[in-house]
């Protein structure tokens, strides 16, 4: 039986390094996972398109929880790096990825 292909609009990675975990990243990942499922945004749900993965250190250890986004964009790959992410911001980022909308600018850091 061939593997099933799921189309995605983007990928969210939530840091699980020790500093981010001390600031609640494990809880953030779990809450965001549940939100993606309930709202049918998860890539494996009908109509969903967002992947969510736990990640190693994303480099903003003093400002966690940290989240980064990768998604295809015209001319290449778009990145969004976020520090001090709370659940409301994480859900806005996920919705923007799903909708193909502009990423939120609050708490953003790193490459443009």
């Amino acid at each position: 039986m061939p593997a099933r292909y799921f189309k995605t609009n983007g990928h969210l990675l939530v840091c699980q390094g020790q500093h981010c975990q001390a600031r609640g990243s494990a809880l953030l990942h779990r809450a965001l996972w549940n939100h993606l499922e309930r709202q049918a945004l998860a890539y494996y749900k009908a109509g969903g398109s967002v992947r969510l993965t736990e990640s190693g250190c994303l480099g903003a250890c003093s400002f966690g929880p940290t989240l980064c986004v990768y998604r295809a964009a015209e001319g290449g790959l778009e990145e969004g790096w976020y520090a001090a992410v709370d659940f409301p911001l994480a859900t806005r980022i996920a919705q923007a990825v799903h909708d193909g909308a502009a990423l939120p600018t609050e708490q953003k850091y790193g490459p443009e």
Side-chain angles (χ1 to χ4, degrees), residues 56-86:
C57 181
L58 295 175
C61 300
S62 298
F63 304 100
T66 311
L67 180 149
C68 78
V69 176
Y70 288 101
R71 65 180 176 177
E74 190 174 313
L77 190 65
E78 179 183 19
E79 301 174 41
W81 295 77
Y82 295 88
V85 176
D86 59 12

Short mmCIF file of all heavy atoms in Angstrom, two decimals, residues 56-86:
data_model
loop_
_atom_site.label_atom_id
_atom_site.label_comp_id
_atom_site.label_asym_id
_atom_site.label_seq_id
_atom_site.Cartn_x
_atom_site.Cartn_y
_atom_site.Cartn_z
N GLY A 56 14.51 20.83 18.50
CA GLY A 56 15.61 21.13 19.41
C GLY A 56 15.75 22.63 19.51
O GLY A 56 14.92 23.39 19.02
N CYS A 57 16.84 23.07 20.11
CA CYS A 57 17.06 24.50 20.38
C CYS A 57 16.97 25.33 19.11
O CYS A 57 17.56 25.01 18.09
CB CYS A 57 18.42 24.69 21.03
SG CYS A 57 18.76 26.41 21.42
N LEU A 58 16.22 26.44 19.19
CA LEU A 58 16.07 27.37 18.07
C LEU A 58 16.85 28.66 18.29
O LEU A 58 16.73 29.60 17.51
CB LEU A 58 14.58 27.68 17.82
CG LEU A 58 13.75 26.49 17.36
CD1 LEU A 58 12.28 26.87 17.28
CD2 LEU A 58 14.24 25.96 16.03
N GLY A 59 17.66 28.71 19.35
CA GLY A 59 18.63 29.77 19.50
C GLY A 59 18.22 31.03 20.23
O GLY A 59 19.00 31.97 20.27
N ALA A 60 17.05 31.09 20.80
CA ALA A 60 16.65 32.28 21.57
C ALA A 60 16.38 31.84 23.01
O ALA A 60 15.33 32.11 23.57
CB ALA A 60 15.45 32.95 20.94
N CYS A 61 17.36 31.18 23.59
CA CYS A 61 17.19 30.50 24.88
C CYS A 61 16.68 31.39 26.00
O CYS A 61 15.94 30.94 26.86
CB CYS A 61 18.50 29.85 25.30
SG CYS A 61 19.09 28.62 24.11
N SER A 62 17.05 32.64 26.01
CA SER A 62 16.63 33.54 27.08
C SER A 62 15.23 34.10 26.86
O SER A 62 14.73 34.84 27.70
CB SER A 62 17.62 34.70 27.21
OG SER A 62 18.89 34.22 27.56
N PHE A 63 14.63 33.78 25.73
CA PHE A 63 13.36 34.40 25.36
C PHE A 63 12.30 33.39 24.96
O PHE A 63 11.40 33.70 24.20
CB PHE A 63 13.58 35.39 24.21
CG PHE A 63 14.59 36.43 24.51
CD1 PHE A 63 15.88 36.33 24.05
CD2 PHE A 63 14.26 37.52 25.31
CE1 PHE A 63 16.84 37.28 24.33
CE2 PHE A 63 15.21 38.49 25.62
CZ PHE A 63 16.49 38.36 25.13
N GLY A 64 12.38 32.17 25.45
CA GLY A 64 11.44 31.14 25.05
C GLY A 64 10.06 31.33 25.64
O GLY A 64 9.86 32.22 26.46
N PRO A 65 9.10 30.52 25.26
CA PRO A 65 9.18 29.51 24.22
C PRO A 65 9.40 30.11 22.83
O PRO A 65 8.88 31.17 22.51
CB PRO A 65 7.84 28.79 24.27
CG PRO A 65 7.20 29.16 25.56
CD PRO A 65 7.80 30.48 25.94
N THR A 66 10.17 29.38 22.04
CA THR A 66 10.52 29.82 20.70
C THR A 66 9.79 28.95 19.68
O THR A 66 9.60 27.76 19.88
CB THR A 66 12.04 29.70 20.48
OG1 THR A 66 12.70 30.31 21.58
CG2 THR A 66 12.47 30.37 19.21
N LEU A 67 9.37 29.58 18.59
CA LEU A 67 8.65 28.89 17.52
C LEU A 67 9.19 29.40 16.20
O LEU A 67 9.48 30.59 16.07
CB LEU A 67 7.16 29.19 17.64
CG LEU A 67 6.20 28.56 16.63
CD1 LEU A 67 4.86 28.31 17.31
CD2 LEU A 67 6.00 29.43 15.42
N CYS A 68 9.35 28.51 15.22
CA CYS A 68 9.69 28.98 13.89
C CYS A 68 8.74 28.37 12.87
O CYS A 68 8.13 27.33 13.12
CB CYS A 68 11.14 28.74 13.53
SG CYS A 68 11.57 27.09 13.05
N VAL A 69 8.59 29.07 11.76
CA VAL A 69 7.69 28.68 10.67
C VAL A 69 8.50 28.60 9.40
O VAL A 69 9.33 29.47 9.14
CB VAL A 69 6.60 29.76 10.46
CG1 VAL A 69 5.72 29.41 9.27
CG2 VAL A 69 5.78 29.97 11.69
N TYR A 70 8.24 27.57 8.63
CA TYR A 70 8.76 27.47 7.26
C TYR A 70 7.58 27.22 6.34
O TYR A 70 6.73 26.38 6.63
CB TYR A 70 9.73 26.30 7.11
CG TYR A 70 11.05 26.52 7.79
CD1 TYR A 70 11.32 25.93 9.01
CD2 TYR A 70 12.03 27.31 7.20
CE1 TYR A 70 12.54 26.13 9.64
CE2 TYR A 70 13.24 27.51 7.81
CZ TYR A 70 13.49 26.92 9.04
OH TYR A 70 14.70 27.12 9.64
N ARG A 71 7.54 27.96 5.24
CA ARG A 71 6.51 27.69 4.24
C ARG A 71 7.01 28.16 2.88
O ARG A 71 7.84 29.06 2.77
CB ARG A 71 5.18 28.36 4.60
CG ARG A 71 5.20 29.87 4.61
CD ARG A 71 3.83 30.38 4.96
NE ARG A 71 3.83 31.84 5.08
CZ ARG A 71 2.77 32.55 5.33
NH1 ARG A 71 1.61 31.95 5.50
NH2 ARG A 71 2.84 33.85 5.41
N ALA A 72 6.46 27.52 1.85
CA ALA A 72 6.82 27.89 0.49
C ALA A 72 6.30 29.29 0.20
O ALA A 72 5.22 29.67 0.63
CB ALA A 72 6.24 26.89 -0.50
N ALA A 73 7.11 30.05 -0.52
CA ALA A 73 6.73 31.40 -0.92
C ALA A 73 7.22 31.63 -2.34
O ALA A 73 8.08 30.90 -2.83
CB ALA A 73 7.34 32.43 0.02
N GLU A 74 6.66 32.63 -2.96
CA GLU A 74 7.11 32.95 -4.31
C GLU A 74 8.61 33.24 -4.26
O GLU A 74 9.07 34.07 -3.48
CB GLU A 74 6.36 34.18 -4.82
CG GLU A 74 6.60 34.43 -6.30
CD GLU A 74 5.72 35.56 -6.81
OE1 GLU A 74 4.52 35.56 -6.50
OE2 GLU A 74 6.27 36.42 -7.51
N GLY A 75 9.36 32.51 -5.06
CA GLY A 75 10.80 32.71 -5.11
C GLY A 75 11.59 31.98 -4.05
O GLY A 75 12.78 32.22 -3.91
N GLY A 76 10.98 31.10 -3.29
CA GLY A 76 11.76 30.35 -2.31
C GLY A 76 11.00 29.95 -1.08
O GLY A 76 9.83 29.62 -1.13
N LEU A 77 11.69 30.03 0.04
CA LEU A 77 11.16 29.58 1.31
C LEU A 77 11.03 30.78 2.25
O LEU A 77 11.97 31.56 2.40
CB LEU A 77 12.12 28.56 1.92
CG LEU A 77 11.67 27.79 3.14
CD1 LEU A 77 10.49 26.88 2.78
CD2 LEU A 77 12.82 26.94 3.66
N GLU A 78 9.87 30.93 2.88
CA GLU A 78 9.67 31.99 3.86
C GLU A 78 9.89 31.42 5.25
O GLU A 78 9.43 30.32 5.55
CB GLU A 78 8.25 32.56 3.77
CG GLU A 78 7.99 33.65 4.78
CD GLU A 78 6.56 34.18 4.75
OE1 GLU A 78 5.68 33.49 4.20
OE2 GLU A 78 6.33 35.26 5.28
N GLU A 79 10.60 32.17 6.09
CA GLU A 79 10.85 31.78 7.47
C GLU A 79 10.24 32.82 8.39
O GLU A 79 10.26 34.01 8.08
CB GLU A 79 12.35 31.75 7.77
CG GLU A 79 13.16 30.82 6.93
CD GLU A 79 14.64 30.98 7.23
OE1 GLU A 79 15.02 31.11 8.42
OE2 GLU A 79 15.42 30.98 6.28
N GLY A 80 9.77 32.38 9.52
CA GLY A 80 9.33 33.28 10.59
C GLY A 80 9.83 32.72 11.90
O GLY A 80 9.58 31.57 12.22
N TRP A 81 10.60 33.52 12.64
CA TRP A 81 11.17 33.11 13.92
C TRP A 81 10.56 33.97 15.02
O TRP A 81 10.55 35.19 14.92
CB TRP A 81 12.69 33.30 13.89
CG TRP A 81 13.35 32.41 12.88
CD1 TRP A 81 13.38 32.58 11.53
CD2 TRP A 81 14.04 31.21 13.15
NE1 TRP A 81 14.06 31.55 10.95
CE2 TRP A 81 14.49 30.69 11.92
CE3 TRP A 81 14.35 30.51 14.32
CZ2 TRP A 81 15.21 29.51 11.81
CZ3 TRP A 81 15.07 29.34 14.22
CH2 TRP A 81 15.50 28.85 12.97
N TYR A 82 10.06 33.32 16.07
CA TYR A 82 9.34 34.01 17.14
C TYR A 82 9.88 33.63 18.51
O TYR A 82 10.15 32.45 18.78
CB TYR A 82 7.85 33.64 17.09
CG TYR A 82 7.16 34.12 15.84
CD1 TYR A 82 7.15 33.35 14.69
CD2 TYR A 82 6.54 35.36 15.80
CE1 TYR A 82 6.53 33.80 13.54
CE2 TYR A 82 5.92 35.82 14.66
CZ TYR A 82 5.92 35.03 13.53
OH TYR A 82 5.30 35.48 12.38
N ALA A 83 10.01 34.63 19.38
CA ALA A 83 10.45 34.41 20.76
C ALA A 83 9.32 34.78 21.71
O ALA A 83 8.42 35.55 21.37
CB ALA A 83 11.67 35.28 21.05
N ALA A 84 9.36 34.22 22.91
CA ALA A 84 8.37 34.48 23.96
C ALA A 84 6.95 34.27 23.43
O ALA A 84 6.06 35.10 23.61
CB ALA A 84 8.54 35.89 24.54
N VAL A 85 6.74 33.14 22.79
CA VAL A 85 5.45 32.83 22.16
C VAL A 85 4.47 32.32 23.21
O VAL A 85 4.79 31.43 24.00
CB VAL A 85 5.63 31.77 21.05
CG1 VAL A 85 4.28 31.37 20.46
CG2 VAL A 85 6.56 32.29 19.97
N ASP A 86 3.27 32.90 23.21
CA ASP A 86 2.20 32.40 24.05
C ASP A 86 1.16 31.72 23.15
O ASP A 86 1.25 31.76 21.92
CB ASP A 86 1.58 33.50 24.91
CG ASP A 86 1.00 34.65 24.10
OD1 ASP A 86 0.85 34.54 22.86
OD2 ASP A 86 0.70 35.69 24.71
#
